[in-house]
Amino acid sequence: LESSRELGEIGDELIVSLRLNLFENDSGYLLLRARIRRIIPSESDATSESLLYGISFQEPSQTERLMLENFIFKNMERE
């Protein structure tokens, strides 16, 4: 997760809203609780002060987990 503003400290809980493109013409929407696990400065733009956040989702349902896994695997195929 990348943000130009501070979202919290390690251990803080967030509510994350995601729109996932699951199929060619179909999107899924998720609203998940997550916990900040890691914070590092972004190297994508040396002039900005954006931060990269490592997060872990807190108790996603089976359907939410399947949607996330599908999204991750589809994006891994593209690389």
Side-chain angles (χ1 to χ4, degrees):
L1 181 62
E2 185 171 3
S3 177
S4 60
R5 65 181 184 89
E6 188 174 321
L7 300 178
E9 299 294 327
I10 292 174
D12 287 352
E13 190 172 285
L14 305 171
I15 301 295
V16 180
S17 174
L18 303 169
R19 186 183 115 212
L20 306 176
N21 294 323
L22 301 172
F23 304 103
E24 194 169 312
N25 296 319
D26 191 20
S27 295
Y29 296 90
L30 297 176
L31 188 64
L32 299 166
R33 290 182 315 128
R35 189 164 305 280
I36 298 173
R37 297 293 181 198
R38 186 172 184 199
I39 305 170
I40 57 173
S42 174
E43 296 179 2
S44 63
D45 184 359
T47 61
S48 77
E49 295 184 17
S50 63
L51 297 170
L52 298 173
Y53 290 86
I55 60 173
S56 62
F57 296 110
Q58 304 296 296
E59 302 177 19
S61 70
Q62 184 176 9
T63 300
E64 291 166 336
R65 182 181 295 271
L66 288 171
M67 289 173 70
L68 286 167
E69 288 174 359
N70 182 40
F71 177 76
I72 291 166
F73 288 125
K74 286 186 77 161
N75 282 291
M76 288 173 63
E77 290 175 351
R78 292 182 193 160
E79 294 181 5

Coordinates of all heavy atoms in Angstrom, one line a residue:
L1 N 0.9 -1.2 0.0 CA 0.0 0.0 0.0 C 0.9 1.2 0.0 O 1.8 1.3 0.8 CB -0.9 0.0 1.2 CG -1.9 1.1 1.4 CD1 -2.9 1.1 0.3 CD2 -2.6 0.8 2.8
E2 N 0.7 2.2 -0.9 CA 1.5 3.4 -1.0 C 0.6 4.6 -0.8 O -0.5 4.7 -1.3 CB 2.2 3.5 -2.4 CG 3.1 4.6 -2.5 CD 3.9 4.6 -3.8 OE1 3.7 3.8 -4.6 OE2 4.8 5.5 -3.9
S3 N 1.2 5.5 0.0 CA 0.4 6.7 0.4 C 1.3 7.9 0.5 O 2.5 7.8 1.0 CB -0.3 6.5 1.7 OG -1.0 7.7 2.1
S4 N 0.8 9.1 0.1 CA 1.6 10.3 0.2 C 1.4 10.9 1.6 O 2.1 11.9 1.9 CB 1.2 11.3 -0.9 OG -0.1 11.6 -0.8
R5 N 0.5 10.4 2.4 CA 0.3 10.9 3.7 C 0.5 9.7 4.7 O 0.3 8.5 4.4 CB -1.0 11.6 3.9 CG -2.2 10.7 3.7 CD -3.5 11.5 3.9 NE -4.7 10.6 3.8 CZ -5.2 10.0 4.9 NH1 -4.7 10.2 6.1 NH2 -6.3 9.2 4.7
E6 N 0.8 10.0 6.0 CA 1.0 9.0 7.0 C -0.4 8.4 7.3 O -1.4 9.1 7.6 CB 1.6 9.6 8.2 CG 2.0 8.6 9.2 CD 2.8 9.2 10.4 OE1 3.6 10.1 10.2 OE2 2.5 8.8 11.5
L7 N -0.4 7.1 7.3 CA -1.6 6.3 7.7 C -1.7 5.8 9.1 O -2.7 5.4 9.6 CB -1.8 5.1 6.7 CG -1.9 5.5 5.2 CD1 -2.0 4.2 4.4 CD2 -3.0 6.4 4.9
G8 N -0.5 5.8 9.7 CA -0.5 5.3 11.1 C 0.9 4.7 11.4 O 1.9 4.9 10.6
E9 N 1.0 4.1 12.5 CA 2.3 3.5 13.0 C 2.2 1.9 12.9 O 1.1 1.4 12.8 CB 2.6 3.9 14.4 CG 2.7 5.4 14.6 CD 3.9 5.9 13.9 OE1 5.0 5.2 13.8 OE2 3.9 7.1 13.4
I10 N 3.3 1.3 13.0 CA 3.3 -0.2 13.0 C 2.4 -0.7 14.1 O 2.5 -0.2 15.3 CB 4.7 -0.7 13.1 CG1 5.5 -0.4 11.8 CG2 4.8 -2.2 13.4 CD1 7.0 -0.7 11.9
G11 N 1.5 -1.6 13.8 CA 0.6 -2.2 14.8 C -0.8 -1.5 14.7 O -1.7 -2.1 15.3
D12 N -0.9 -0.4 14.1 CA -2.2 0.3 14.0 C -3.1 -0.4 13.0 O -2.7 -1.1 12.1 CB -2.0 1.8 13.5 CG -1.4 2.7 14.5 OD1 -1.3 2.3 15.7 OD2 -1.1 3.9 14.2
E13 N -4.4 -0.4 13.3 CA -5.4 -1.0 12.4 C -6.0 0.0 11.5 O -6.2 1.2 11.8 CB -6.5 -1.6 13.3 CG -7.4 -2.5 12.5 CD -8.4 -3.3 13.3 OE1 -8.0 -4.2 14.0 OE2 -9.6 -2.9 13.3
L14 N -6.2 -0.4 10.2 CA -6.8 0.4 9.2 C -8.0 -0.3 8.7 O -8.2 -1.5 8.8 CB -5.8 0.5 8.0 CG -4.4 1.1 8.2 CD1 -3.6 0.9 7.0 CD2 -4.5 2.5 8.7
I15 N -8.9 0.5 8.0 CA -10.0 -0.1 7.2 C -9.6 0.2 5.8 O -9.4 1.4 5.4 CB -11.3 0.6 7.5 CG1 -11.7 0.4 9.0 CG2 -12.4 0.1 6.6 CD1 -11.9 -1.0 9.4
V16 N -9.5 -0.8 5.0 CA -9.0 -0.7 3.6 C -10.1 -1.1 2.6 O -10.8 -2.1 2.8 CB -7.8 -1.7 3.3 CG1 -7.3 -1.6 1.9 CG2 -6.7 -1.4 4.3
S17 N -10.4 -0.1 1.7 CA -11.4 -0.3 0.7 C -10.7 -0.7 -0.6 O -9.8 0.1 -1.1 CB -12.3 0.9 0.6 OG -13.2 0.8 -0.5
L18 N -11.1 -1.8 -1.3 CA -10.4 -2.2 -2.5 C -11.5 -2.5 -3.6 O -12.5 -3.0 -3.3 CB -9.7 -3.5 -2.3 CG -8.6 -3.5 -1.2 CD1 -8.2 -4.9 -0.9 CD2 -7.4 -2.7 -1.6
R19 N -11.1 -2.1 -4.8 CA -11.9 -2.5 -6.0 C -11.0 -3.4 -6.8 O -9.9 -2.9 -7.2 CB -12.3 -1.3 -6.8 CG -13.3 -1.8 -7.9 CD -13.7 -0.6 -8.8 NE -13.1 -0.9 -10.1 CZ -12.6 0.0 -11.0 NH1 -12.7 1.2 -10.7 NH2 -12.1 -0.4 -12.1
L20 N -11.3 -4.6 -6.9 CA -10.5 -5.6 -7.6 C -11.1 -5.9 -9.0 O -12.3 -6.3 -9.1 CB -10.4 -6.9 -6.8 CG -9.9 -6.7 -5.4 CD1 -9.9 -8.1 -4.7 CD2 -8.5 -6.1 -5.3
N21 N -10.3 -5.8 -10.1 CA -10.8 -6.3 -11.4 C -10.5 -7.8 -11.4 O -9.4 -8.3 -11.6 CB -10.0 -5.6 -12.5 CG -10.3 -4.1 -12.5 OD1 -11.4 -3.7 -12.3 ND2 -9.3 -3.3 -12.8
L22 N -11.6 -8.5 -11.2 CA -11.5 -10.0 -11.1 C -11.6 -10.7 -12.5 O -10.9 -11.6 -12.7 CB -12.6 -10.5 -10.2 CG -12.6 -10.0 -8.8 CD1 -13.8 -10.4 -8.0 CD2 -11.3 -10.4 -8.1
F23 N -12.5 -10.2 -13.3 CA -12.6 -10.7 -14.7 C -12.6 -9.6 -15.6 O -12.6 -8.4 -15.2 CB -14.0 -11.5 -14.8 CG -14.1 -12.6 -13.7 CD1 -14.8 -12.4 -12.6 CD2 -13.3 -13.8 -13.9 CE1 -14.9 -13.4 -11.6 CE2 -13.4 -14.8 -12.9 CZ -14.2 -14.6 -11.8
E24 N -12.7 -9.9 -16.9 CA -12.5 -8.8 -17.9 C -13.5 -7.7 -17.7 O -13.1 -6.5 -17.8 CB -12.8 -9.4 -19.3 CG -12.3 -8.5 -20.4 CD -12.3 -9.3 -21.8 OE1 -11.7 -10.4 -21.8 OE2 -12.8 -8.7 -22.7
N25 N -14.8 -7.9 -17.5 CA -15.7 -6.9 -17.3 C -16.4 -6.9 -16.0 O -17.6 -6.5 -15.8 CB -16.8 -7.0 -18.4 CG -16.2 -6.7 -19.8 OD1 -15.4 -5.9 -20.0 ND2 -16.7 -7.5 -20.8
D26 N -15.7 -7.4 -15.0 CA -16.3 -7.5 -13.6 C -15.4 -7.1 -12.5 O -14.2 -7.5 -12.5 CB -16.8 -9.0 -13.4 CG -17.6 -9.2 -12.2 OD1 -18.2 -8.2 -11.8 OD2 -17.7 -10.3 -11.7
S27 N -15.9 -6.3 -11.6 CA -15.1 -5.9 -10.5 C -15.7 -6.3 -9.2 O -16.9 -6.5 -9.1 CB -15.0 -4.3 -10.4 OG -14.3 -3.8 -11.5
G28 N -14.9 -6.5 -8.2 CA -15.4 -6.9 -6.9 C -14.9 -5.8 -5.9 O -13.9 -5.2 -6.1
Y29 N -15.7 -5.5 -4.9 CA -15.4 -4.5 -3.9 C -15.2 -5.2 -2.5 O -16.1 -6.0 -2.2 CB -16.5 -3.5 -3.8 CG -16.6 -2.7 -5.1 CD1 -17.5 -3.1 -6.1 CD2 -15.9 -1.6 -5.4 CE1 -17.6 -2.5 -7.3 CE2 -16.0 -0.9 -6.5 CZ -16.8 -1.3 -7.5 OH -16.9 -0.6 -8.7
L30 N -14.2 -4.8 -1.8 CA -13.9 -5.3 -0.5 C -13.7 -4.2 0.5 O -13.1 -3.2 0.1 CB -12.7 -6.2 -0.5 CG -12.7 -7.5 -1.3 CD1 -11.3 -8.1 -1.3 CD2 -13.8 -8.4 -0.9
L31 N -14.2 -4.4 1.7 CA -13.9 -3.5 2.8 C -13.3 -4.3 3.9 O -14.1 -5.1 4.5 CB -15.2 -2.8 3.2 CG -15.0 -1.6 4.3 CD1 -14.2 -0.5 3.7 CD2 -16.4 -1.1 4.7
L32 N -12.0 -4.2 4.2 CA -11.3 -5.1 5.1 C -10.6 -4.4 6.2 O -10.1 -3.3 6.0 CB -10.3 -5.9 4.3 CG -10.8 -6.8 3.1 CD1 -9.7 -7.2 2.3 CD2 -11.5 -8.0 3.7
R33 N -10.5 -5.0 7.3 CA -9.7 -4.6 8.4 C -8.2 -5.1 8.1 O -8.0 -6.2 7.7 CB -10.1 -5.1 9.8 CG -11.4 -4.5 10.2 CD -11.8 -5.0 11.6 NE -11.7 -6.4 11.7 CZ -11.0 -7.0 12.7 NH1 -10.5 -6.3 13.7 NH2 -10.9 -8.3 12.8
A34 N -7.3 -4.2 8.4 CA -5.9 -4.6 8.1 C -5.0 -3.9 9.3 O -5.4 -3.0 9.9 CB -5.4 -4.1 6.8
R35 N -3.9 -4.5 9.5 CA -2.9 -4.0 10.5 C -1.6 -3.7 9.8 O -1.1 -4.4 8.9 CB -2.7 -5.1 11.6 CG -1.9 -4.6 12.7 CD -2.0 -5.4 14.0 NE -3.4 -5.7 14.4 CZ -4.1 -4.9 15.1 NH1 -3.7 -3.7 15.5 NH2 -5.3 -5.3 15.5
I36 N -1.0 -2.5 10.1 CA 0.2 -2.1 9.6 C 1.3 -2.9 10.2 O 1.5 -3.0 11.4 CB 0.5 -0.6 9.8 CG1 -0.6 0.3 9.2 CG2 1.9 -0.2 9.4 CD1 -0.5 1.7 9.6
R37 N 2.1 -3.6 9.3 CA 3.2 -4.4 9.7 C 4.6 -3.8 9.4 O 5.6 -4.2 10.1 CB 3.1 -5.8 9.0 CG 1.9 -6.6 9.4 CD 1.9 -7.0 10.8 NE 0.7 -7.7 11.2 CZ 0.3 -7.9 12.4 NH1 0.9 -7.4 13.4 NH2 -0.8 -8.6 12.6
R38 N 4.7 -3.0 8.4 CA 6.0 -2.4 8.0 C 5.7 -1.1 7.3 O 4.8 -0.9 6.6 CB 6.7 -3.4 7.1 CG 8.1 -3.0 6.7 CD 8.8 -4.1 6.0 NE 10.2 -3.7 5.7 CZ 10.9 -4.2 4.8 NH1 10.5 -5.2 4.1 NH2 12.2 -3.8 4.7
I39 N 6.7 -0.2 7.5 CA 6.6 1.1 6.8 C 8.0 1.5 6.3 O 9.0 1.4 7.1 CB 6.2 2.3 7.8 CG1 4.9 1.9 8.5 CG2 6.1 3.6 7.1 CD1 4.5 2.9 9.6
I40 N 8.1 1.7 5.0 CA 9.4 2.1 4.4 C 9.2 3.3 3.4 O 8.1 3.4 2.8 CB 10.1 1.0 3.7 CG1 9.2 0.3 2.6 CG2 10.5 -0.1 4.7 CD1 9.9 -0.7 1.8
P41 N 10.2 4.1 3.2 CA 10.0 5.2 2.3 C 10.0 4.6 0.8 O 10.7 3.7 0.5 CB 11.3 6.1 2.5 CG 11.9 5.6 3.8 CD 11.4 4.2 4.0
S42 N 9.2 5.3 0.0 CA 9.1 4.8 -1.4 C 10.3 5.3 -2.2 O 10.8 6.4 -2.0 CB 7.8 5.4 -2.0 OG 7.8 5.1 -3.4
E43 N 10.8 4.4 -3.0 CA 11.9 4.8 -3.9 C 11.5 5.1 -5.3 O 12.3 5.4 -6.2 CB 13.0 3.6 -3.9 CG 13.6 3.4 -2.6 CD 14.6 2.2 -2.6 OE1 14.8 1.6 -3.7 OE2 15.1 1.9 -1.5
S44 N 10.2 5.1 -5.5 CA 9.7 5.3 -6.9 C 9.8 6.7 -7.3 O 9.9 7.0 -8.5 CB 8.2 4.8 -7.0 OG 7.4 5.6 -6.1
D45 N 9.8 7.7 -6.4 CA 10.0 9.1 -6.7 C 10.8 9.7 -5.6 O 10.3 10.0 -4.5 CB 8.6 9.7 -6.8 CG 8.7 11.2 -7.3 OD1 9.8 11.7 -7.5 OD2 7.6 11.8 -7.4
A46 N 12.1 10.0 -6.0 CA 13.0 10.6 -5.0 C 12.5 11.9 -4.4 O 12.9 12.3 -3.3 CB 14.4 10.6 -5.6
T47 N 11.7 12.6 -5.2 CA 11.3 14.0 -4.7 C 10.1 13.9 -3.8 O 9.8 14.9 -3.2 CB 11.0 14.9 -5.9 OG1 9.9 14.3 -6.7 CG2 12.2 15.0 -6.8
S48 N 9.4 12.8 -3.8 CA 8.1 12.8 -3.0 C 8.5 12.1 -1.7 O 9.5 11.5 -1.5 CB 7.1 11.9 -3.7 OG 7.3 10.6 -3.6
E49 N 7.5 12.3 -0.8 CA 7.7 11.7 0.6 C 6.7 10.6 0.8 O 6.2 10.5 1.9 CB 7.6 12.8 1.6 CG 8.7 13.8 1.5 CD 8.6 14.9 2.6 OE1 7.9 14.6 3.6 OE2 9.3 15.9 2.5
S50 N 6.4 9.9 -0.2 CA 5.4 8.8 -0.1 C 6.0 7.6 0.7 O 7.2 7.4 0.7 CB 4.8 8.4 -1.4 OG 5.8 7.8 -2.2
L51 N 5.1 6.9 1.3 CA 5.5 5.7 2.2 C 4.9 4.5 1.6 O 3.7 4.5 1.1 CB 5.1 6.0 3.6 CG 5.7 7.1 4.3 CD1 5.0 7.4 5.6 CD2 7.2 6.9 4.5
L52 N 5.6 3.4 1.8 CA 5.0 2.1 1.4 C 4.7 1.4 2.7 O 5.5 1.3 3.7 CB 6.0 1.2 0.7 CG 6.5 1.8 -0.7 CD1 7.6 0.9 -1.3 CD2 5.3 1.8 -1.6
Y53 N 3.5 0.8 2.8 CA 3.0 0.1 4.0 C 2.8 -1.3 3.7 O 2.1 -1.7 2.8 CB 1.6 0.7 4.4 CG 1.8 2.1 5.0 CD1 1.7 3.2 4.2 CD2 1.9 2.3 6.4 CE1 1.9 4.5 4.7 CE2 2.0 3.6 6.9 CZ 2.0 4.7 6.0 OH 2.1 6.0 6.5
G54 N 3.4 -2.2 4.5 CA 3.1 -3.6 4.5 C 2.0 -3.8 5.4 O 2.0 -3.4 6.6
I55 N 0.9 -4.5 5.0 CA -0.2 -4.7 5.8 C -0.6 -6.2 5.8 O -0.3 -6.9 4.9 CB -1.4 -3.9 5.4 CG1 -1.8 -4.2 3.9 CG2 -1.2 -2.4 5.5 CD1 -3.1 -3.5 3.5
S56 N -1.3 -6.6 6.9 CA -1.9 -7.9 6.9 C -3.4 -7.7 7.2 O -3.8 -6.9 8.0 CB -1.2 -8.8 8.0 OG -1.5 -8.2 9.3
F57 N -4.1 -8.5 6.4 CA -5.6 -8.4 6.6 C -6.0 -9.2 7.8 O -5.5 -10.3 8.1 CB -6.3 -8.9 5.3 CG -6.0 -8.1 4.1 CD1 -5.2 -8.5 3.1 CD2 -6.5 -6.8 4.0 CE1 -4.9 -7.7 2.0 CE2 -6.2 -6.0 2.9 CZ -5.4 -6.5 1.9
Q58 N -7.0 -8.6 8.5 CA -7.4 -9.2 9.8 C -8.7 -10.0 9.6 O -9.8 -9.4 9.3 CB -7.7 -8.1 10.8 CG -6.4 -7.2 11.0 CD -5.3 -8.0 11.6 OE1 -5.4 -8.5 12.7 NE2 -4.2 -8.1 10.9
E59 N -8.6 -11.3 9.6 CA -9.8 -12.2 9.5 C -10.7 -12.0 8.3 O -11.9 -11.8 8.5 CB -10.6 -12.1 10.8 CG -9.8 -12.4 12.1 CD -10.6 -12.3 13.4 OE1 -11.8 -12.3 13.3 OE2 -9.9 -12.2 14.4
P60 N -10.1 -12.1 7.1 CA -11.0 -12.0 5.9 C -11.9 -13.2 5.9 O -11.5 -14.3 6.3 CB -10.1 -11.9 4.8 CG -8.8 -12.5 5.2 CD -8.7 -12.2 6.7
S61 N -13.1 -13.0 5.3 CA -14.0 -14.2 5.1 C -13.4 -15.1 4.0 O -12.5 -14.7 3.3 CB -15.4 -13.7 4.7 OG -15.3 -13.2 3.4
Q62 N -13.9 -16.3 3.9 CA -13.4 -17.2 2.8 C -13.6 -16.5 1.5 O -12.7 -16.6 0.6 CB -14.2 -18.5 2.9 CG -13.6 -19.5 1.9 CD -14.3 -20.9 2.1 OE1 -15.3 -21.0 2.8 NE2 -13.8 -21.9 1.4
T63 N -14.7 -15.9 1.2 CA -15.0 -15.2 -0.1 C -14.0 -14.1 -0.3 O -13.4 -14.0 -1.4 CB -16.4 -14.7 -0.1 OG1 -17.3 -15.8 0.1 CG2 -16.7 -14.0 -1.4
E64 N -13.7 -13.3 0.7 CA -12.8 -12.2 0.6 C -11.4 -12.7 0.3 O -10.7 -12.2 -0.5 CB -12.8 -11.3 1.9 CG -14.1 -10.6 2.1 CD -14.2 -10.0 3.5 OE1 -13.6 -10.5 4.4 OE2 -14.9 -9.0 3.6
R65 N -11.0 -13.8 1.0 CA -9.7 -14.4 0.8 C -9.6 -14.9 -0.7 O -8.6 -14.7 -1.3 CB -9.5 -15.5 1.8 CG -8.1 -16.2 1.7 CD -8.0 -17.3 2.7 NE -8.0 -16.9 4.0 CZ -7.0 -16.5 4.7 NH1 -5.8 -16.5 4.2 NH2 -7.1 -16.1 5.9
L66 N -10.6 -15.6 -1.2 CA -10.6 -16.1 -2.5 C -10.5 -15.0 -3.5 O -9.8 -15.1 -4.5 CB -11.8 -16.9 -2.8 CG -11.8 -18.3 -2.1 CD1 -13.2 -19.0 -2.3 CD2 -10.7 -19.2 -2.6
M67 N -11.2 -13.9 -3.3 CA -11.1 -12.7 -4.2 C -9.7 -12.1 -4.2 O -9.2 -11.8 -5.3 CB -12.1 -11.6 -3.8 CG -13.6 -12.0 -4.1 SD -14.8 -10.9 -3.4 CE -14.5 -9.5 -4.5
L68 N -9.1 -12.0 -3.0 CA -7.7 -11.5 -3.0 C -6.7 -12.4 -3.6 O -5.8 -12.0 -4.4 CB -7.3 -11.3 -1.5 CG -7.9 -10.1 -0.8 CD1 -7.7 -10.2 0.7 CD2 -7.4 -8.8 -1.3
E69 N -6.8 -13.7 -3.4 CA -5.9 -14.7 -4.0 C -6.1 -14.7 -5.5 O -5.1 -14.7 -6.2 CB -6.2 -16.1 -3.5 CG -5.7 -16.3 -2.0 CD -6.1 -17.6 -1.5 OE1 -6.8 -18.4 -2.1 OE2 -5.8 -17.9 -0.3
N70 N -7.3 -14.6 -6.0 CA -7.5 -14.6 -7.5 C -6.9 -13.3 -8.1 O -6.2 -13.4 -9.1 CB -9.0 -14.6 -7.8 CG -9.3 -14.6 -9.2 OD1 -8.6 -15.2 -10.0 ND2 -10.3 -13.8 -9.6
F71 N -7.0 -12.2 -7.4 CA -6.5 -10.9 -7.9 C -4.9 -11.0 -7.9 O -4.3 -10.6 -8.9 CB -6.9 -9.8 -7.0 CG -6.3 -8.5 -7.4 CD1 -6.8 -7.8 -8.5 CD2 -5.3 -7.9 -6.6 CE1 -6.2 -6.5 -8.8 CE2 -4.7 -6.7 -6.9 CZ -5.2 -6.0 -8.1
I72 N -4.3 -11.5 -6.9 CA -2.9 -11.6 -6.8 C -2.3 -12.6 -7.9 O -1.4 -12.2 -8.6 CB -2.4 -12.1 -5.4 CG1 -2.7 -11.0 -4.3 CG2 -1.0 -12.5 -5.4 CD1 -2.7 -11.5 -2.9
F73 N -2.9 -13.7 -8.0 CA -2.4 -14.7 -9.0 C -2.6 -14.1 -10.4 O -1.7 -14.3 -11.3 CB -3.1 -16.0 -8.9 CG -2.6 -16.8 -7.7 CD1 -3.5 -17.2 -6.7 CD2 -1.3 -17.0 -7.5 CE1 -3.1 -17.9 -5.6 CE2 -0.9 -17.7 -6.4 CZ -1.8 -18.2 -5.4
K74 N -3.7 -13.4 -10.7 CA -3.9 -12.9 -12.1 C -2.8 -11.8 -12.4 O -2.3 -11.7 -13.5 CB -5.3 -12.2 -12.2 CG -6.4 -13.3 -12.3 CD -7.7 -12.6 -12.6 CE -7.6 -12.3 -14.1 NZ -8.9 -12.0 -14.7
N75 N -2.4 -11.0 -11.3 CA -1.4 -10.0 -11.6 C 0.0 -10.6 -11.7 O 0.9 -10.1 -12.3 CB -1.5 -9.0 -10.4 CG -2.6 -8.0 -10.7 OD1 -2.5 -7.2 -11.6 ND2 -3.6 -8.1 -9.9
M76 N 0.2 -11.7 -11.0 CA 1.5 -12.4 -11.1 C 1.7 -13.0 -12.5 O 2.8 -13.0 -13.0 CB 1.6 -13.6 -10.1 CG 1.8 -13.0 -8.7 SD 1.7 -14.4 -7.4 CE 3.1 -15.4 -7.9
E77 N 0.6 -13.4 -13.1 CA 0.7 -14.0 -14.5 C 1.1 -12.9 -15.5 O 1.7 -13.2 -16.5 CB -0.7 -14.5 -14.9 CG -1.1 -15.8 -14.2 CD -2.5 -16.2 -14.6 OE1 -3.2 -15.5 -15.3 OE2 -2.8 -17.3 -14.2
R78 N 0.7 -11.6 -15.2 CA 1.0 -10.5 -16.2 C 2.5 -10.2 -16.1 O 3.0 -9.6 -17.1 CB 0.2 -9.3 -15.8 CG -1.2 -9.5 -16.1 CD -2.0 -8.2 -15.7 NE -3.4 -8.5 -15.7 CZ -4.3 -7.7 -15.1 NH1 -3.9 -6.6 -14.5 NH2 -5.6 -8.0 -15.1
E79 N 3.2 -10.5 -15.1 CA 4.6 -10.0 -14.9 C 5.6 -11.0 -15.5 O 5.4 -12.0 -15.9 CB 4.9 -9.8 -13.4 CG 4.2 -8.7 -12.9 CD 4.5 -8.5 -11.4 OE1 5.4 -9.1 -10.9 OE2 3.9 -7.6 -10.8

